[in-house]
């Protein structure tokens, strides 16, 4: 629950968008109201404000199912912290992560450690130079050997590999961590390609 001055403003389970990071976003919005107006908003106002949230397109958005596998488009995640937040949403579930893109030299150590410490052990399908940086980071984590890593030449091939590697009931999460390669545009075309490949 999110509370202030002893009053519950919203219960975590009633937030229509998933993830602890979205609860933190609500806390940030409440703090903004407090700073601007000098008072905490009423619980009813908070519930009304967040009641119709559907989340942003391509940001940890469940887009469907295929043969019992849940498909999640998180193409907007162009840094490891965003990918970590989305991985956390599916804690305790079988997960196949499709990650990679341009390599801008960002440290993937935190993401690698989170993947290596995850149970059940995830599968990671890597794309491009950014994906290979994640592979290097996984090799540097002692438990990383348990993470199953597959490499794909394209996003479409990566989706096919993810579908083959994921059991029914599992989650296939496209959350790149590095940015989209310049020759592929931005996250929007990648999102569309993911949706098309996922069927």
């Amino acid at each position: 629950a999110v509370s202030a001055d002893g009053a519950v403003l919203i219960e975590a389970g009633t937030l229509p968008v998933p993830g602890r990071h979205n609860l933190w976003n609500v806390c940030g919005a409440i703090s903004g109201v407090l700073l601007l107006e000098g008072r905490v908003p009423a619980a009813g106002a908070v519930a009304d404000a967040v009641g119709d949230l559907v989340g942003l397109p391509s940001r940890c958005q469940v887009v469907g199912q295929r043969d019992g596998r849940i498909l999640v488009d998180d193409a907007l995640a162009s840094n490891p912290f965003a990918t970590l937040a989305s991985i956390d949403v599916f804690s305790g579930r079988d997960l196949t992560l499709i990650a990679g893109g341009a390599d801008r030299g960002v440290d993937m150590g935190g993401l690698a450690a989170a993947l290596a410490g995850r149970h059940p052990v995830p599968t990671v399908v890597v794309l491009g130079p950014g994906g290979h940086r994640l592979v290097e980071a996984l090799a540097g984590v002692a438990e990383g050997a348990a993470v199953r890593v597959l490499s794909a030449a394209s996003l479409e091939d990566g989706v096919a590999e993810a579908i083959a590697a994921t059991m029914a009931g599992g989650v296939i999460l496209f959350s790149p961590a590095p940015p989209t390669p310049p020759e592929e545009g931005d996250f929007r075309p990648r999102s569309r390609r993911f949706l098309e490949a996922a069927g």
Side-chain angles (χ1 to χ4, degrees):
V2 175
S3 59
D5 298 331
V8 174
L9 300 178
I10 188 164
E11 293 289 343
T14 63
L15 192 63
V17 289
R20 280 187 295 180
H21 63 287
N22 283 314
L23 278 176
W24 297 335
N25 290 338
V26 170
C27 290
I30 291 167
S31 297
V33 170
L34 177 61
L35 288 170
L36 289 171
E37 296 186 4
R39 62 178 177 77
V40 173
V46 174
D48 288 346
V50 301
D52 294 331
L53 289 178
V54 293
L56 296 172
S58 304
R59 183 65 186 112
C60 201
Q61 184 180 47
V62 175
V63 293
Q65 291 192 22
R66 181 161 172 186
D67 301 325
R69 296 158 184 87
I70 296 168
L71 300 159
V72 182
D73 177 18
D74 194 33
L76 191 54
S78 62
N79 66 73
F81 302 108
T83 298
L84 276 169
S86 293
I87 287 170
D88 184 57
V89 169
F90 303 103
S91 180
R93 308 241 350 231
D94 284 318
L95 176 76
T96 299
L97 172 67
I98 303 172
D103 182 4
R104 63 176 172 198
V106 174
D107 180 15
M108 295 284 178
L111 178 56
L115 289 166
R118 188 180 163 83
H119 297 286
V121 176
T123 297
V124 179
V125 179
V126 297
L127 310 167
H132 295 295
R133 181 172 290 276
L134 177 56
V135 171
E136 291 170 3
L138 282 166
V141 178
E143 301 87 4
V147 176
R148 181 179 177 198
V149 178
L150 305 170
S151 184
S154 68
L155 178 55
E156 290 76 10
D157 290 345
V159 171
E161 288 195 34
I163 290 168
T166 308
M167 297 186 334
V171 175
I172 297 172
L173 172 64
F174 174 46
S175 187
T180 302
E183 65 274 11
E184 295 182 32
D186 63 14
F187 74 93
R188 291 173 192 88
R190 282 185 112 192
S191 178
R192 283 192 296 273
R193 288 171 59 203
F194 172 72
L195 294 174
E196 289 168 7

